[in-house]
Amino acid sequence: MALLDIRNLNIDIRTPAGDLHVVDNVDLTVNEGEIIALVGASGSGKSLMLQAITYLRKENIIFRADRFKIYNEDLLQMPSRRRRRVIGKNFYLIMQDPRTCLDPTMKIKEQLYEVMPKEKWYRIDRKIRNFITNKRRTDAIATLHRTGIKEHRRILNSYPNELSDVECQKVMISMAISARPKLIIADEPISNLGISSRLQILKLLDKYNKNEHTSILIICNDLASIANFADYFAIFYGGKIVEFGSRSHILNHPIHPYTASLVKAMMIMEDPAKEFNEKEYRLARVPDFAQMPVGCPYGPSCKYANRKCNKAPKLTITKTFRYFCHNPLGKEALFEDDQD
């Protein structure tokens, strides 16, 4: 069943020089229990799209969509108060900079207790209130331990400014698990962590996905870090999802040239014995939204571009892929030697 269903999502940013179109006709569906990775270079509009989905928008951002549903409830037709309740109940957003999201005036234990489902402890007889308070603390400690935090006493009694960036990130993930949402939206949750901590967090999220059947939508600009984590990959470039497919197809048979460049870069990093060719594995820069190229946004960086690329490619849907490209690649594209 589709937990989140969005069609033709468009986002504009109002600037003194005019409106910038930064997200273009994005379709996104997240089913129950799925892990979907949104992969692309920094500055391509991924984080802005997720903030719009959760309605964490600023006044200068214009949000438009033909469909925006959670469990077939149309959020576009809801009053703002009810929409906030539905999003707050079903979603939990882990931001890229956790320190700015934690309340600097509250200790960590208070913030962890606040996100726990109240029906577990709130409506009870006063005679057992102390027992429930201890139960909340026990649950908070257990959640912190699951994210790799061992000094739980210090963490629980600290304010966010007293913790490191890594500790703040793990606290945010602990809060997400404690809230028990239907969908965890994680914006670069492992970007500030070391290799061992990255593996620990990804294993934790994967285990939580399997045990609780919680869907996860994760943003990452490093394909190698989450290559074995996500079930499906949405490749994001220039404000568009240029390709969407399963893990095996994206990693072994990419259709879009930009996807192929990401996979090639991952392969060369995993094989240190292979000679590095900077020209061959150089990734494309994110286009300037104020000066977007005519037609395909990837055209100026694509070695397969031709005259057809002067027009925007249409969506092509197959049994295993969705992609925007005039010149889809074959499987041999991953292994061919560039002669440029």
Side-chain angles (χ1 to χ4, degrees):
M1 181 178 179
L3 168 59
L4 174 67
D5 187 13
I6 297 178
R7 291 290 181 271
N8 293 329
L9 172 64
N10 290 272
I11 299 176
D12 295 337
I13 298 180
R14 288 176 176 167
T15 69
D19 293 350
L20 291 181
H21 193 55
V22 295
V23 174
D24 182 34
N25 293 328
V26 167
D27 293 345
L28 182 64
T29 301
V30 182
N31 295 316
E32 288 185 323
E34 285 184 345
I35 301 178
I36 295 180
L38 198 61
V39 183
S42 298
S44 58
K46 306 185 304 298
S47 298
L48 183 62
M49 187 184 78
L50 293 193
Q51 291 177 32
I53 290 174
T54 52
Y55 275 81
L56 295 176
R57 301 178 294 160
K58 297 181 179 180
E59 293 181 356
N60 64 332
I61 296 179
I62 306 170
F63 170 93
R64 303 187 307 277
D66 292 345
R67 182 193 300 173
F68 184 12
K69 292 184 176 181
I70 299 177
Y71 285 131
N72 288 326
E73 292 190 80
D74 192 349
L75 272 72
L76 297 176
Q77 305 300 323
M78 288 183 185
S80 58
R81 181 176 296 181
R82 172 165 170 73
R83 183 168 56 232
R84 286 196 299 269
R85 286 201 302 266
V86 172
I87 291 176
K89 179 181 178 181
N90 291 283
F91 294 174
Y92 195 95
L93 178 61
I94 301 175
M95 297 293 288
Q96 187 172 358
D97 187 1
R99 191 181 297 278
T100 61
C101 302
L102 295 171
D103 191 333
T105 66
M106 296 174 62
K107 292 185 176 180
I108 297 301
K109 63 180 179 182
E110 297 170 342
Q111 301 187 52
L112 272 171
Y113 297 163
E114 187 177 27
V115 300
M116 290 181 178
K118 292 184 178 180
E119 51 268 25
K120 292 176 55 182
W121 55 270
Y122 188 74
R123 296 173 181 173
I124 57 169
D125 193 279
R126 292 183 180 180
K127 294 181 180 179
I128 57 173
R129 185 62 59 86
N130 290 336
F131 169 79
I132 296 300
T133 301
N134 293 333
K135 180 67 168 59
R136 284 190 298 163
R137 179 177 174 82
T138 301
D139 289 347
I141 291 173
T143 304
L144 291 175
H145 284 179
R146 290 170 66 185
T147 57
I149 293 178
K150 302 302 181 183
E151 300 177 357
H152 59 263
R153 182 173 299 178
R154 176 180 65 84
I155 298 296
L156 289 174
N157 291 285
S158 298
Y159 291 94
N161 66 296
E162 298 173 333
L163 305 180
S164 67
D165 290 339
V166 174
E167 290 172 336
C168 286
Q169 186 67 278
K170 291 184 177 182
V171 166
M172 284 292 297
I173 295 174
S174 298
M175 292 173 66
I177 294 174
S178 298
R180 297 192 174 182
K182 299 296 184 182
L183 172 64
I184 294 178
I185 302 176
D187 186 3
E188 299 281 2
I190 58 175
S191 59
N192 296 324
L193 305 180
I195 295 178
S196 60
S197 296
R198 288 186 179 192
L199 293 175
Q200 186 179 41
I201 292 302
L202 290 178
K203 286 182 178 180
L204 170 64
L205 291 175
D206 183 67
K207 184 177 180 180
Y208 189 71
N209 164 260
K210 298 296 188 296
N211 293 341
E212 303 294 335
H213 205 58
T214 300
S215 302
I216 298 175
L217 179 60
I218 183 171
I219 279 184
C220 190
N221 56 19
D222 181 10
L223 181 61
S225 297
I226 56 173
N228 297 316
F229 173 66
D231 301 317
Y232 296 92
F233 288 86
I235 308 301
F236 208 82
Y237 182 84
K240 292 181 69 71
I241 294 179
V242 296
E243 184 172 357
F244 182 92
S246 66
R247 172 171 54 196
S248 61
H249 285 87
I250 290 293
L251 298 181
N252 299 311
H253 186 193
I255 294 293
H256 197 279
Y258 179 63
T259 308
S261 69
L262 294 177
V263 176
K264 278 186 174 182
M266 182 186 71
M267 292 169 60
I268 191 64
M269 293 300 294
E270 291 178 348
D271 186 5
K274 189 173 182 180
E275 183 180 356
F276 179 75
N277 185 324
E278 182 181 357
K279 185 177 181 180
E280 179 180 352
Y281 295 102
R282 183 174 54 202
L283 296 178
R285 294 182 179 180
V286 177
D288 186 352
F289 288 111
Q291 298 177 343
M292 288 292 287
V294 176
C296 177
Y298 189 64
S301 302
C302 181
K303 68 177 182 179
Y304 303 102
N306 53 31
R307 292 183 178 180
K308 293 187 296 184
C309 299
N310 291 328
K311 295 182 179 180
K314 296 182 179 180
L315 174 64
T316 301
I317 302 177
T318 69
K319 293 182 179 179
T320 55
F321 276 102
R322 299 202 312 262
Y323 62 89
F324 289 88
C325 187
H326 290 294
N327 303 296
L329 305 179
K331 187 174 182 178
E332 66 280 358
L334 271 183
F335 308 102
E336 67 181 359
D337 293 325
D338 288 344
Q339 303 299 325
D340 299 347

